[in-house]
Amino acid sequence: MPDVVLPCLDEAGALPWVLSRLPDGYRAIVADNGSTDGSPQIAADAGALVVHVPERGFGAAAHGGLDAATADVVCFCDADGSMDPAQLPRVADPVLAGEADLVLGRRRPTGRGAWPLHARVANTALAVLLRRRTGLALHDLGPMRAARREALLGLDLGDRRFGYPLEMVTRASDAGWRIREVDVDYAPRAEGTRSKVTGTLLGTYRAVRDMRRVLAR
């Protein structure tokens, strides 16, 4: 069964619910990126494997979790409660069945406030650039995704910031991977958690900056 990498920075308010929603047999790997709110202990108490990643950055945390994984198929999911881990089979099953090499969860907001307008506009613009770059009919840089671990490591991903998810897609496309999207729910993050990207204009700007650098390579 798949391992699930959950990049984490101060997600104490969301982790109990997130970890309780994992499908049977899926193992949680919480890649902690320097939390100061007790997130690592909460994750460990819930039975997750906790990996401490001292290098700061979303990509550093995600890749640290990937390195620690041992399952053939690895999923990625945000740890802020905005995505329901119970839906992970939507992205994992096509990979497990050999029908796709990389599956991305296309976010579908469940209510107002789930996806701020500035973040949605930025995501749409990046998706257009991504389609031009890869020729793939993609609409979202979905943070919920799945692929085979050894194949992912073989992509030799180098970005350790917000460009990591985009670099995964561009390199997979260049390698001829079968890439598809499936719909997943996208809800407001858990109360008490703080968005590092979509919740602020500065966070969105930094993410777009990092991703544009990836597209320019």
Side-chain angles (χ1 to χ4, degrees):
M1 297 298 286
D3 283 339
V4 183
V5 175
L6 297 156
C8 176
L9 178 58
D10 294 333
E11 306 290 6
L15 278 173
W17 180 83
V18 169
L19 295 173
S20 75
R21 297 289 294 172
L22 259 68
D24 289 343
Y26 283 57
R27 181 178 68 146
I29 300 176
V30 174
D32 189 75
N33 207 205
S35 296
T36 59
D37 66 348
S39 289
Q41 190 60 54
I42 291 171
D45 290 345
L49 171 64
V50 178
V51 178
H52 296 278
V53 183
E55 180 183 357
R56 296 303 287 264
F58 177 84
H63 204 75
L66 177 62
D67 280 338
T70 57
D72 178 39
V73 172
V74 176
C75 303
F76 296 84
C77 183
D78 284 351
D80 61 5
S82 61
M83 314 192 84
D84 187 353
Q87 296 182 353
L88 282 166
R90 297 186 187 182
V91 296
D93 284 353
V95 178
L96 289 165
E99 298 169 355
D101 301 309
L102 174 63
V103 180
L104 310 174
R106 181 182 181 182
R107 289 170 285 186
R108 297 293 195 176
T110 60
R112 297 181 63 182
W115 205 349
L117 178 60
H118 64 269
R120 193 179 305 197
V121 169
N123 183 75
T124 299
L126 285 168
V128 170
L129 294 175
L130 180 60
R131 289 197 292 271
R132 291 175 181 173
R133 165 71 171 75
T134 64
L136 298 170
L138 300 175
H139 304 85
D140 190 12
L141 304 174
M144 181 183 285
R145 52 182 60 190
R148 296 193 182 275
R149 178 180 182 273
E150 291 302 321
L152 283 172
L153 292 174
L155 294 178
D156 195 24
L157 302 176
D159 194 282
R160 293 297 182 264
R161 296 171 63 88
F162 292 123
Y164 184 87
L166 178 59
E167 185 184 26
M168 184 185 296
V169 177
T170 57
R171 292 209 174 188
S173 175
D174 291 344
W177 286 25
R178 297 166 297 167
I179 303 173
R180 69 162 66 169
E181 284 183 330
V182 296
D183 288 350
V184 296
D185 293 343
Y186 192 53
R189 72 188 62 86
E191 185 176 352
T193 63
R194 178 178 58 88
S195 172
K196 291 77 180 173
V197 184
T198 59
T200 66
L201 288 170
L202 179 59
T204 298
Y205 165 76
R206 287 172 174 167
V208 171
R209 176 198 61 194
D210 291 348
M211 291 179 183
R212 288 184 68 90
R213 287 174 179 170
V214 170
L215 288 170
R217 292 173 188 167

